[in-house]
Structures are given as structure tokens and as C-alpha cells.
Amino acid sequence: KMFDGREWMRNVVLTGVAFPGVVAAVGMMVNGYMWHYHSSAAIPFTTLLAVVALWFFVSLPLVALGAYIGFTQDKVEPVIKPNDLERIPVPTPLFVQPLVGIFVGGLLPFGAVFMEAVFIMSSVWLSHVYYMFGFLFVVMLSLGVVSAEISIVLCYFHLGHEDPNWQWRSFLTPAASG
């Protein structure tokens, strides 16, 4: 609505069906593979039916309700109007280039977590007992903090150089650590 989209119903349907549908399809295929080999890790069929029922009777109505409430509200107007004058492209330094920023922004959090993951895996392989889940929780928190810090710093650089695509870069920078 804010960006004057024309196909909002399509977006609502894809939000409620596409991503959960892909995840459910992959889960069903993996579970079918486990059933075929009589694995004890296979999810029972009644549990799968309960999850599908939750999806259809809880998730989809909530997506529809959220879309209805969102589209009945007034359109959010920006505080300032953007300037219609065309800007002259300014050469950007290397660290503001898209691929370099995304690579560096993903490499730093990955490097921080990789060293801790090597420590955990070596303790598992050498049959040492540590409090692994507590340690993994701390590793996850450090990944979140480092990703947020890198994203904020690089987003600041992009805004300082008046990059019009700063929103995507602020998303892709921490996502590149995966």
C-alpha cells in the first residue's frame, strides 16, 4: 500500500501459502524418506496432520486478518518528500561497493562463529563433555550481536555515500554470513 502496489491480494496469498508450503513440502519429502527406511526419527502421520491443520486454520486466517487490517488503515505518508531532481552519480569507494560490502559483512560474523564451532566439534570428536547447548546459545548470541554491528556500520557507510539501495544492503550484509 505504501509503495502503491497493485497486486496486494497476490502478495497476501503468497505470504500465507508459498513459503510455508515450500517448507512443508521439503519436510514431507524428508519425512517420507525416513518412513521408507523405517527410521525412529520419522514424524508420525497424525502429528503431520495436526501441523497442516494449524497452518490452514490458524496461520492462513491470521495472514488474511493482518492483510485486511493493514489495508483498511490509512496510507502511511513519509515525513519529507523525496527530491525529484536527478542526482549525478558519484564514484564510490571500494568498501561501499555492493559485493565487497556484502562479502566482508558476511565474512566477519562467519569467522567469529566458525572458530567457536571448530572448538565445539573438536570436543565432540574427542569425546570431551562440555555444556555444549549453553555454549551454542552464547555462540548464537554473539553471531546476532556481531551481525547487527556489522550491518549498522555498513548501513551507515551506505547512507553516508547516499546509496539508494541501502535497504537491501542492510539486509544482505548479515544474511551473507549464512
Side-chain angles (χ1 to χ4, degrees), residues 1-177:
K1 189 171 181 179
M2 183 173 179
F3 298 114
D4 296 324
R6 304 280 187 256
E7 299 182 12
W8 64 272
M9 267 308 258
R10 180 175 164 228
N11 287 340
V12 170
V13 170
L14 287 176
T15 300
V17 174
F19 179 72
V22 169
V23 171
V26 169
M28 296 279 189
M29 287 185 341
V30 170
N31 204 38
Y33 181 78
M34 286 190 220
W35 280 342
H36 178 71
Y37 286 103
H38 305 290
S39 172
S40 62
I43 300 171
F45 184 71
T46 54
T47 305
L48 288 177
L49 285 180
V51 169
V52 170
L54 282 173
W55 176 25
F56 280 114
F57 298 118
V58 175
S59 179
L60 285 179
L62 286 176
V63 167
L65 178 68
Y68 174 75
I69 291 172
F71 281 103
T72 56
Q73 302 294 319
D74 292 334
K75 182 178 176 181
V76 176
E77 293 294 330
V79 178
I80 59 171
K81 296 282 184 193
N83 195 350
D84 290 336
L85 296 175
E86 190 171 326
R87 293 187 172 260
I88 300 170
V90 178
T92 58
L94 182 66
F95 62 88
V96 185
Q97 296 291 328
L99 292 177
V100 173
I102 291 170
F103 177 73
V104 169
L107 185 67
L108 291 174
F110 176 78
V113 171
F114 180 75
M115 295 310 291
E116 295 167 2
V118 165
F119 174 71
I120 291 172
M121 290 302 160
S122 66
S123 68
V124 169
W125 291 328
L126 296 175
S127 300
H128 294 141
V129 178
Y130 292 107
Y131 296 104
M132 189 169 55
F133 294 110
F135 191 71
L136 282 175
F137 181 70
V138 172
V139 169
M140 183 188 70
L141 287 179
S142 90
L143 174 66
V145 169
V146 171
S147 295
E149 289 172 347
I150 293 293
S151 181
I152 289 168
V153 169
L154 288 178
C155 186
Y156 176 77
F157 288 153
H158 291 300
L159 288 173
H161 289 279
E162 299 179 0
D163 185 1
N165 296 321
W166 67 269
Q167 300 99 331
W168 287 108
R169 307 250 173 83
S170 68
F171 170 75
L172 291 173
T173 298
S177 65

